[in-house]
Amino acid sequence: MPRRLPAFGSRVTIGALVIVVLCLTACMPTPEPSPTPEPTASEIASPEPSPTQERPVLHPDGTAEDNLPLFEAVTVKVWAESGSSSGRAYIDALVAAGFAKGDMQVTQDLTTVGNAVESMQFSVRWGDDACLVGQVGPSTGEPVTMVMDQLAEGRCLVGETRPIDW
């Protein structure tokens, strides 16, 4: 008959072996992390080109919706540079961007007592049925731009507008 070891003795032996293995593992040196390679001079000098955003352009044969990005960019730029409610600033910037001055309307930028208006609108008639319309001013907050249907007689803005005679 095979001889059996006492259960207590085998447990002690296994426990002692586990402790020895753990101690040996803990005493072993840890490997040094491998260094990260430094970028070469050519990698520093010529980083990957980042994608450039295309600037909006005028699409003379396009729709009002096609030209809204340029109209909006001009409006936001004038507002950011001056916070202006000067109608002339917006009209001049839109003309410089290629929009036709003869197709534009602008509301008054001064009240009847000479104060700056709280909100001013300007527009560009586009084709026979659409208008690009912008609104700026302290009461508006951020500039607002949109495409709207033309009104009667090819007008874009309701009410009295000022002559664009400069």
Side-chain angles (χ1 to χ4, degrees), residues 5 17 20 29 46 59 71 77-78 106 111 123 129 134 151 160:
L5 292 173
L17 283 173
V20 169
S46 58
H59 300 282
F71 184 85
K77 182 178 180 189
V78 173
V106 62
T111 66
S123 66
D129 58 353
L151 303 171
E160 187 178 333

Side-chain angles (χ1 to χ4, degrees), residues 27-43:
C27 293
M28 293 180 67
T30 57
E32 291 290 321
S34 60
T36 304
E38 293 293 320
T40 64
S42 64
E43 292 172 331

Side-chain angles (χ1 to χ4, degrees), residues 6-19:
F8 175 75
S10 63
R11 286 187 198 147
V12 170
T13 305
I14 292 173
L17 283 173
V18 168
I19 290 174

Side-chain angles (χ1 to χ4, degrees), residues 20-61:
V20 169
V21 169
L22 288 175
C23 286
L24 288 175
T25 305
C27 293
M28 293 180 67
T30 57
E32 291 290 321
S34 60
T36 304
E38 293 293 320
T40 64
S42 64
E43 292 172 331
I44 293 172
S46 58
E48 288 293 315
S50 61
T52 57
Q53 290 183 332
E54 289 185 31
R55 294 175 58 168
V57 296
L58 185 68
H59 300 282
D61 296 327

Side-chain angles (χ1 to χ4, degrees), residues 143-166:
V144 177
T145 59
M146 64 187 65
V147 174
M148 298 186 71
D149 291 336
Q150 279 184 25
L151 303 171
E153 301 167 8
R155 294 178 51 87
C156 295
L157 302 179
V158 174
E160 187 178 333
T161 59
R162 69 184 260 209
I164 300 174
D165 55 5
W166 60 89

Side-chain angles (χ1 to χ4, degrees), residues 15-135:
L17 283 173
V18 168
I19 290 174
V20 169
V21 169
L22 288 175
C23 286
L24 288 175
T25 305
C27 293
M28 293 180 67
T30 57
E32 291 290 321
S34 60
T36 304
E38 293 293 320
T40 64
S42 64
E43 292 172 331
I44 293 172
S46 58
E48 288 293 315
S50 61
T52 57
Q53 290 183 332
E54 289 185 31
R55 294 175 58 168
V57 296
L58 185 68
H59 300 282
D61 296 327
T63 64
E65 286 82 8
D66 295 336
N67 289 287
L68 183 60
L70 177 59
F71 184 85
E72 179 177 21
V74 169
T75 302
V76 168
K77 182 178 180 189
V78 173
W79 179 257
E81 289 176 352
S82 65
S84 180
S85 292
S86 163
R88 184 171 185 155
Y90 293 93
I91 299 303
D92 290 349
L94 290 166
V95 169
F99 292 98
K101 187 186 276 188
D103 291 328
M104 296 184 191
Q105 290 182 286
V106 62
T107 60
Q108 299 292 331
D109 50 18
L110 294 175
T111 66
T112 55
V113 294
N115 295 329
V117 295
E118 287 294 314
S119 178
M120 181 197 58
Q121 294 182 339
F122 48 93
S123 66
V124 177
R125 182 179 60 238
W126 199 265
D128 293 332
D129 58 353
C131 294
L132 296 158
V133 177
Q135 183 172 351

